[in-house]
Amino acid sequence: MSERAAGPEIQRLVQLLARLPGLGPRSARRAALHLIRKREDLLAPLAEALRIAYERIAVCSSCGNIDTLDPCTVCRDERRDRSVIVVVETVADLWALERAAAIRARYHVLGGTLSALDGVGPKDLNLASLVERATADGVGEIILAVNATVDGQTTAHYIIDLLAHLPVKVTRLAHGVPVGGELDYLDEGTLAAAIRQRTAF
Ligand SMILES: [Zn+2]
């Protein structure tokens, strides 16, 4: 942004907004102008929400979720099936599964995947506490809800080996035809996985 168009405060706002994922400099300028126009309705509550998030949000010491409570709201929820732990890569994946409302269980957030290319090893992930939780009384199933990427699957195999000596069932998400998907548009790997993992009607 030109220094002549706005003072350093507005420039700083635009620069910070431009660092958000999905926002380039142009969208950041538009967002900044929108916020300034909606000063009372949007800018003030957003500033307050950001302040509260900065002060109060913490990582759950049990599952790795983020919340203002530790243990988090999900871990505290007594209505959840405590025999199942769903392993996800990131908090975004946890939120996605909660939006789908497909399962009412507890989670374990790994904080990424193993990646030789990016130098991410087992010690960089939330794995030690997963073994601890999988050993706890009443836990009967660990669902590996990791991405169907090379790194995701490498991580899944590592976890399967890690938990092999425990009396828990380890399962993973099905691979195959997405809901509403057309076969003609699918890649060969997905089609092959769908055939291999076919289920009885
Ligand atoms: Zn938690």
Side-chain angles (χ1 to χ4, degrees):
M1 173 177 278
S2 160
E3 284 176 23
R4 286 188 219 169
E9 296 82 4
I10 292 176
Q11 283 183 43
R12 177 145 175 79
L13 177 62
V14 172
Q15 282 163 3
L16 288 171
L17 287 170
R19 282 162 61 177
L20 294 174
L23 284 193
R26 186 182 147 82
S27 323
R29 285 194 294 273
R30 291 179 60 193
L33 280 174
H34 186 74
L35 285 168
I36 292 163
R37 268 199 300 269
K38 304 266 177 186
R39 189 183 162 117
E40 291 306 321
D41 296 344
L42 191 58
L43 184 54
L46 178 67
E48 177 67 2
L50 287 172
R51 188 186 63 76
I52 291 170
Y54 173 71
E55 285 172 2
R56 295 205 211 141
I57 285 180
V59 175
C60 174
S61 54
S62 177
C63 74
N65 187 16
I66 54 166
D67 202 347
T68 50
L69 299 168
D70 181 17
C72 71
T73 308
V74 173
C75 286
R76 283 167 190 256
D77 187 350
E78 292 293 332
R79 290 163 302 174
R80 287 174 189 265
D81 182 352
R82 299 187 82 77
S83 72
V84 179
I85 295 174
V86 185
V87 177
V88 291
E89 292 175 21
T90 64
V91 172
D93 297 337
L94 186 161
W95 288 356
L97 284 166
E98 283 294 291
R99 277 200 306 278
I103 189 161
R104 284 190 69 80
R106 290 178 302 158
Y107 294 89
H108 193 85
V109 182
L110 294 172
T113 47
L114 297 175
S115 170
L117 216 61
D118 298 326
V120 182
K123 286 199 164 51
D124 301 311
L125 302 180
N126 203 4
L127 286 168
S129 58
L130 174 62
V131 177
E132 216 170 279
R133 293 183 72 198
T135 315
D137 265 357
V139 174
E141 182 178 2
I142 306 287
I143 302 176
L144 300 179
V146 291
N147 290 336
T149 56
V150 172
D151 286 346
Q153 296 309 300
T154 305
T155 309
H157 285 294
Y158 185 88
I159 294 173
I160 290 166
D161 287 345
L162 201 63
L163 303 178
H165 66 288
L166 297 176
V168 287
K169 182 165 79 171
V170 182
T171 56
R172 67 170 177 82
L173 299 187
H175 296 164
V177 183
V179 175
E182 295 179 36
L183 297 196
D184 195 22
Y185 287 93
L186 295 183
D187 65 278
E188 290 80 4
T190 304
L191 272 175
I195 288 285
R196 276 199 308 275
Q197 296 172 35
R198 64 191 181 277
T199 54
F201 257 111

